[in-house]
Amino acid sequence: MASSAEDMPSEEDTGTSAAGGIHLLDFSDEILLHILSHVPSTDLVLSVRRTCRKLATLCLDKSLIHTVLLQKDYQASEDKVKQLVKVIGREIQQLNMAGCYWLSGTTVEQVARCRSLVKVNLSGCHLTSLRLSKVLSALQHLRSLAIDVSPGFDATQLSSECKATLSRVRELRQTLFTPSYGVVPCCTSLEKLLLYFEILDRTREGAILSGQLMVGQSNVPHYQHLRVFYARLAPGYINQEVVRLYLAVLSDRTPENLHAFLISVPGSFAESGATKNLLDSMARSACLDALQLPKSWLNGSALLQHLRFSNPLYFSFSRCALSGSHLVQRVINGGRDLRSLASLNLSGCVHCLSPDALFRKAEDDIDSGILETLVGACCNLRHLNLSAAHHHSAEGLGRHLCQLLARLRHLRSLALPVCAVADSAPQADRAPAPPAMHAVQRGFGKKVRLGVSSGPFTGQSVPPPTSVFWTLLRSVPFLERLELIGSNFSSAMPRNEPAIRNSLPPCSRAQSVGDAEVAAIGQLAFLRHLTLAQLPSILTGSGLLTIGLQCQQLQSLSLANLGMMGKVVYMPALLDMLRHCRRLRDLRLEQPYFSANSQFFQALSQCSRLQRLCLVSRSGTLQPDALLAFMGRCLHVIMCHMFTGESLTACKSLQQTLLRSFQAERPALNVVIFPLLHEGLTDVIRDVPLAHLDEVTLFKSRVAEEPPGLWW
């Protein structure tokens, strides 16, 4: 029960004040409410509220308790969530519990007490059909819903009260782990439908799944009011088979108000008669502001010429064989005004900046005129993805790709291939790029321990070079996400497949990108997310230290295949960098022969806010005692994924020890220690919570992956 007013200390007994200064509670209510808005809901209601009378009142202000975010609140235990709902459940109007995989079904069922809910996200939560029915039956005001549909789901178990609630839902996000229509047929008022297909081709027992399992289920989704249709498919033929069943109804009658149609499919997805009818119908009646189609639907098609767009917000042509001529003529329409376009994904479009796709080779230069037209027409772009392609710039003043992109002053996220930021074609006699920071002077004969600073950082930096990459980053100072990924890079751990043993060599132009270019990233004071992959010319990693010192807002870091593949040449600089990353929450490292030893974990311990850690290392080693000590020091780490060259026996033993030691005090703890090249890796990965798998463990480009504001 909540403490009574008599038990609470007065304002004079709480807070701190400097000598002659102001007391914390002397701030206005508006300022205090803003401060309290950054406190997790469980701490706010169950702890802060009990400190004094004034905070007891403010913590229950409607602006703080109408929206409750439990997503990534990894300290929210079963008891805390139940108490939270008991105290403020009737006041909550929006509740986000996405990815709360550690909460039991009985705890999730407490959501039924939040009878004023208008919007709820239960993706990643444990819910049976019966529990879902009980929860939704109580939520008569619900208009927005996100759930998982897992094996065993049975729509016939949904009560009439539950179906009545679903009939009023306007926004539905449904993640499918089994062939099913889920609750879609019950949602007769849908305006936004988001479908995530995560169905595996085989069951754990090895049985092959089929979309024929859906025969006999209700197959009449109600799309007449639909404005947004989005489908994202994981690899596998079963996902394609099931999404076709969802699309079949759309092909009969395209909704009149459809303005966003997006399908994200890895690999090929052949057109069928139904999908052709759907596209023809869209070309006749739909006016879109967001579009993404499978590459095979666009390749060699005149579809783009016939589709109509109204103030487009998002385009994704990822992996499409779209030439620069088609891009200019059919999308930009010869340079028409596309100032409304906020997000553009051209990842894997190897010909999109060249006039002709037929005879172009990877090493050929781009046509800067096409890029200039694109930049001029889409001058308000905030998110741009040009990764997974060779975009080489020719010599010429002001015509380099980086110089042209520097005109996009509103950019907040950017993904580029490494070779695209090289100043010019590599020269045989070119000297390696100098390190970004001057080395500290050391006396004769003084030994230096790897990763341990032998003297204070001098702060002396090399004068800003005149490279085009420096110029680009100086022009977009508010960039929050940057990805620099080698054109030929592929992760050793792909989705739903065995680990990749060999990888393609980096592009020759990437040899010109080294420590100095990485140091240029230090200009981005607002950078929160950074990915660097396949930079073969990293010599010392000194640029990493520059980033650690200057990018103090960095929250997620992903490094893969830097420098020479045979050894980790940048380890000392990485250790020094980590000591300065005080706000880092997610770290992913992919590097062959990486040694996760005591020095590495000691440096990583300085990242006091770290929550998720993933290491992928072919032939890599792991020091169990160092990892255990690290987990004991870093109390917020709840995800530890290690895929190395250690034996299966050693991995299982360490995983069990970690779970025994820390599971009780960290309810959300997820530990996977497994040999990278073991044949059972795919089965192990399928048990990882999708939130961790999608956001950290699996490598992918995340810039312009989805339209801005697609969900909350």
Side-chain angles (χ1 to χ4, degrees):
M1 294 181 63
S3 302
S4 63
E6 290 77 8
D7 297 332
M8 292 184 181
S10 64
E11 285 83 348
E12 290 77 13
D13 298 327
T14 59
T16 58
S17 60
I22 188 172
H23 193 283
L24 173 63
L25 297 179
D26 289 337
F27 287 118
S28 67
D29 287 356
E30 290 76 15
I31 293 177
L32 288 174
L33 285 173
H34 178 73
I35 295 172
L36 293 173
S37 68
H38 295 280
V39 179
S41 298
T42 50
D43 293 335
L44 189 74
V45 175
L46 304 180
S47 299
V48 179
R49 183 175 64 92
R50 297 175 176 175
T51 56
C52 71
R53 296 186 185 93
K54 182 170 184 177
L55 290 180
T57 301
L58 289 177
C59 287
L60 295 182
D61 187 86
K62 290 183 178 180
S63 65
L64 298 179
I65 62 175
H66 272 189
T67 299
V68 172
L69 306 178
L70 296 179
Q71 182 186 30
K72 296 186 180 179
D73 184 358
Y74 301 118
Q75 306 305 316
S77 63
E78 305 261 3
D79 290 340
K80 286 184 178 181
V81 173
K82 290 178 181 178
Q83 292 178 47
L84 178 73
V85 171
K86 184 177 181 180
V87 176
I88 64 170
R90 292 185 177 276
E91 304 297 327
I92 302 175
Q93 294 185 0
Q94 299 187 63
L95 176 62
N96 190 346
M97 296 178 63
C100 292
Y101 55 86
W102 63 91
L103 297 178
S104 66
T106 55
T107 299
V108 178
E109 197 175 306
Q110 297 295 310
V111 173
R113 302 178 65 170
C114 307
R115 295 181 178 271
S116 299
L117 275 178
V118 176
K119 194 170 188 176
V120 64
N121 190 338
L122 300 175
S123 297
C125 295
H126 298 291
L127 272 179
T128 62
S129 306
L130 289 174
R131 282 207 169 100
L132 177 65
S133 179
K134 182 177 179 180
V135 169
L136 295 185
S137 296
L139 306 180
Q140 298 182 10
H141 304 287
L142 194 67
R143 297 296 180 268
S144 180
L145 172 67
I147 58 168
D148 290 351
V149 177
S150 301
F153 178 85
D154 185 357
T156 63
Q157 295 180 341
L158 303 180
S159 67
S160 58
E161 293 83 358
C162 170
K163 292 179 180 178
T165 296
L166 288 170
S167 70
R168 294 185 288 268
V169 167
R170 296 174 183 170
E171 299 177 353
L172 175 66
R173 170 177 170 150
Q174 189 169 259
T175 304
L176 295 158
F177 294 94
T178 188
S180 173
Y181 290 106
V183 300
V184 172
C186 301
C187 301
T188 57
S189 303
L190 275 183
E191 296 179 7
K192 178 186 287 190
L193 177 60
L194 277 59
L195 299 169
Y196 293 78
F197 296 86
E198 297 288 340
I199 311 167
L200 294 174
D201 292 343
R202 294 176 180 268
T203 65
R204 293 183 184 277
E205 295 74 26
I208 299 176
L209 289 177
S210 169
Q212 294 301 313
L213 293 176
M214 297 170 65
V215 174
Q217 298 181 24
S218 175
N219 60 352
V220 189
H222 299 271
Y223 292 149
Q224 60 266 33
H225 303 296
L226 207 61
R227 293 173 55 82
V228 177
F229 181 89
Y230 175 86
R232 193 188 79 179
L233 282 66
Y237 78 91
I238 183 64
N239 291 309
Q240 297 187 13
E241 186 177 350
V242 174
V243 77
R244 288 187 190 279
L245 297 175
Y246 279 85
L247 292 172
V249 178
L250 269 179
S251 66
D252 292 337
R253 181 183 176 186
T254 305
E256 294 179 0
N257 295 320
L258 188 69
H259 70 87
F261 186 77
L262 308 116
I263 301 181
S264 174
V265 182
S268 60
F269 184 41
E271 272 190 293
S272 63
T275 56
K276 288 181 180 178
N277 292 338
L278 170 61
L279 295 175
D280 290 341
S281 176
M282 286 172 51
R284 289 193 303 270
S285 59
C287 191
L288 303 174
D289 59 31
L291 177 69
Q292 179 176 7
L293 296 176
K295 64 178 183 180
S296 56
W297 295 15
L298 285 175
N299 292 350
S301 167
L303 174 66
L304 288 177
Q305 206 164 359
H306 301 296
L307 288 175
R308 291 181 297 137
F309 301 104
S310 174
N311 298 318
L313 175 72
Y314 174 83
F315 285 148
S316 176
F317 304 110
S318 179
R319 307 288 174 182
C320 293
L322 188 70
S323 71
S325 300
H326 288 162
L327 182 65
V328 170
Q329 296 169 10
R330 298 178 181 177
V331 180
I332 307 175
N333 195 19
R336 71 177 178 183
D337 185 357
L338 284 177
R339 284 180 292 182
S340 61
L341 194 66
S343 187
L344 177 61
N345 191 336
L346 295 172
S347 64
C349 294
V350 296
H351 308 298
C352 68
L353 299 181
S354 301
D356 195 341
L358 293 178
F359 305 106
R360 183 180 185 269
K361 298 179 181 178
E363 61 272 14
D364 291 344
D365 294 332
I366 64 171
D367 184 334
S368 57
I370 293 174
L371 181 58
E372 193 166 14
T373 302
L374 175 66
V375 168
C378 311
C379 57
N380 290 324
L381 272 179
R382 296 173 64 87
H383 314 282
L384 176 62
N385 194 328
L386 293 172
S387 64
H390 297 270
H391 295 315
H392 300 165
S393 298
E395 298 281 357
L397 186 63
R399 308 289 285 175
H400 192 281
L401 178 142
C402 289
Q403 293 171 315
L404 294 174
L405 294 184
R407 302 177 188 178
L408 299 174
R409 304 295 176 131
H410 301 284
L411 279 179
R412 294 297 180 269
S413 67
L414 177 63
L416 293 174
V418 176
C419 56
V421 306
D423 275 8
S424 59
Q427 301 173 8
D429 57 348
R430 180 174 177 176
M437 313 306 294
H438 286 307
V440 178
Q441 296 296 321
R442 301 183 173 93
F444 290 105
K446 186 172 182 179
K447 295 182 178 180
V448 181
R449 290 176 57 201
L450 287 182
V452 180
S453 298
S454 58
F457 176 70
T458 63
Q460 296 175 330
S461 60
V462 171
T466 57
S467 75
V468 290
F469 189 49
W470 276 85
T471 303
L472 168 61
L473 298 187
R474 189 164 55 243
S475 302
V476 287
F478 299 108
L479 205 65
E480 297 177 1
R481 182 185 290 273
L482 176 64
E483 297 176 353
L484 206 55
I485 305 172
S487 306
N488 294 330
F489 176 75
S490 58
S491 175
M493 202 169 77
R495 186 72 181 272
N496 298 343
E497 298 174 10
I500 295 176
R501 296 173 181 266
N502 299 311
S503 57
L504 295 173
C507 173
S508 59
R509 290 271 183 115
Q511 304 289 346
S512 303
V513 181
D515 294 310
E517 284 72 21
V518 172
I521 299 171
Q523 300 175 85
L524 303 175
F526 297 94
L527 189 68
R528 294 175 180 269
H529 312 279
L530 175 63
T531 297
L532 300 173
Q534 201 179 41
L535 279 78
S537 291
I538 296 297
L539 300 178
T540 65
S542 56
L544 296 175
L545 179 55
T546 306
I547 295 171
L549 287 167
Q550 299 180 12
C551 301
Q552 288 295 300
Q553 302 298 319
L554 195 63
Q555 295 181 4
S556 68
L557 176 64
S558 177
L559 304 177
N561 293 6
L562 304 187
M564 298 172 60
M565 293 295 288
K567 55 184 178 179
V568 189
V569 296
Y570 62 92
M571 179 65 95
L574 173 64
L575 302 189
D576 284 335
M577 175 197 192
L578 292 175
R579 292 186 175 92
H580 300 283
C581 295
R582 301 305 172 92
R583 288 182 171 85
L584 193 66
R585 296 183 180 180
D586 298 334
L587 175 62
R588 185 187 191 277
L589 294 173
E590 179 169 343
Q591 188 80 33
Y593 303 100
F594 191 93
S595 176
N597 54 25
S598 58
Q599 289 179 320
F600 168 70
F601 285 115
Q602 285 172 6
L604 193 57
S605 298
Q606 301 300 311
C607 302
S608 56
R609 299 189 186 182
L610 191 69
Q611 295 178 330
R612 300 189 287 187
L613 171 64
C614 178
L615 173 62
V616 179
S617 181
R618 178 169 48 84
S619 303
T621 58
L622 184 60
Q623 193 170 329
D625 293 342
L627 176 56
L628 283 166
F630 160 75
M631 290 292 289
R633 290 191 297 267
C634 291
L635 305 180
H636 297 294
V637 175
I638 55 86
M639 189 201 96
C640 181
H641 292 176
M642 299 280 173
F643 305 98
T644 65
E646 300 288 353
S647 68
L648 179 62
T649 302
C651 289
K652 284 187 174 181
S653 175
L654 180 56
Q655 178 174 316
Q656 292 171 0
T657 301
L658 287 169
L659 290 172
R660 266 196 319 267
S661 302
F662 304 107
Q663 184 85 69
E665 59 196 43
R666 305 181 201 183
L669 184 64
N670 181 255
V671 178
V672 180
I673 315 289
F674 205 77
L676 177 62
L677 299 181
H678 193 280
E679 59 184 6
L681 178 64
T682 303
D683 291 331
V684 171
I685 288 297
R686 70 188 299 168
D687 292 326
V688 174
L690 186 60
H692 298 328
L693 195 66
D694 196 49
E695 295 172 11
V696 180
T697 307
L698 296 177
F699 184 96
K700 65 176 179 177
S701 176
R702 292 176 172 82
V703 173
E705 183 182 17
E706 294 179 343
L710 184 64
W711 201 253
W712 61 312

